[in-house]
């Protein structure tokens, strides 16, 4: 099964060409009000006002860990 996670910075015009809502349980979209595709190129990390980005890192980690746990469980049943 495929698992896809789209992350979208809503300050980025490119987000208009992405999925902004979950398509299914395994095709997810996370939107960041204060994010943009170039946000990670600055030497300054997220500020205190960028709580959506900080929380997003936690969400992404939790989603990926959950998917990895599912894959491990599936491989143990083969």
């Amino acid at each position: 099964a495929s698992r896809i996670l789209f992350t979208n910075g809503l300050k980025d015009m490119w987000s208009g060409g992405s999925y902004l809502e979950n398509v299914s349980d395994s095709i997810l979209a996370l939107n960041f009000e204060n994010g943009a595709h170039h946000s990670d190129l600055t030497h300054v990390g997220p500020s205190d006002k960028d709580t959506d980005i900080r929380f997003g890192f936690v969400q992404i980690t939790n989603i990926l860990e959950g998917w990895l746990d599912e894959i491990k469980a599936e491989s143990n049943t083969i």
Side-chain angles (χ1 to χ4, degrees), residues 6-10 12-21 29 31:
F6 293 96
T7 57
N8 304 295
L10 298 181
D12 191 336
M13 67 177 193
W14 298 108
S15 66
S18 184
Y19 292 96
L20 299 177
E21 296 180 7
N31 302 308

Side-chain angles (χ1 to χ4, degrees), residues 4 6 12 15 18 23 25 28-31 36 38-39 43-44 51 55-57 63 65-66 72 76-77:
I4 302 171
F6 293 96
D12 191 336
S15 66
S18 184
V23 176
D25 290 338
L28 308 177
L30 291 178
N31 302 308
H38 51 72
S39 297
H43 66 282
V44 178
T51 56
F55 180 66
F57 288 137
I63 290 167
E65 285 177 348
K72 288 176 188 174
N76 288 335
T77 61

Side-chain angles (χ1 to χ4, degrees), residues 6-78:
F6 293 96
T7 57
N8 304 295
L10 298 181
K11 286 190 174 183
D12 191 336
M13 67 177 193
W14 298 108
S15 66
S18 184
Y19 292 96
L20 299 177
E21 296 180 7
N22 293 346
V23 176
S24 69
D25 290 338
S26 61
I27 303 176
L28 308 177
L30 291 178
N31 302 308
F32 301 94
E33 182 180 340
N34 295 311
H37 73 277
H38 51 72
S39 297
D40 60 341
L41 299 178
T42 179
H43 66 282
V44 178
S47 70
D48 289 339
K49 66 182 176 181
D50 295 331
T51 56
D52 65 324
I53 294 173
R54 289 181 183 277
F55 180 66
F57 288 137
V58 174
Q59 286 181 292
I60 291 168
T61 300
N62 290 338
I63 290 167
L64 296 178
E65 285 177 348
W67 285 350
L68 289 172
D69 289 343
E70 289 174 13
I71 292 167
K72 288 176 188 174
E74 290 169 5
S75 66
N76 288 335
T77 61
I78 295 176

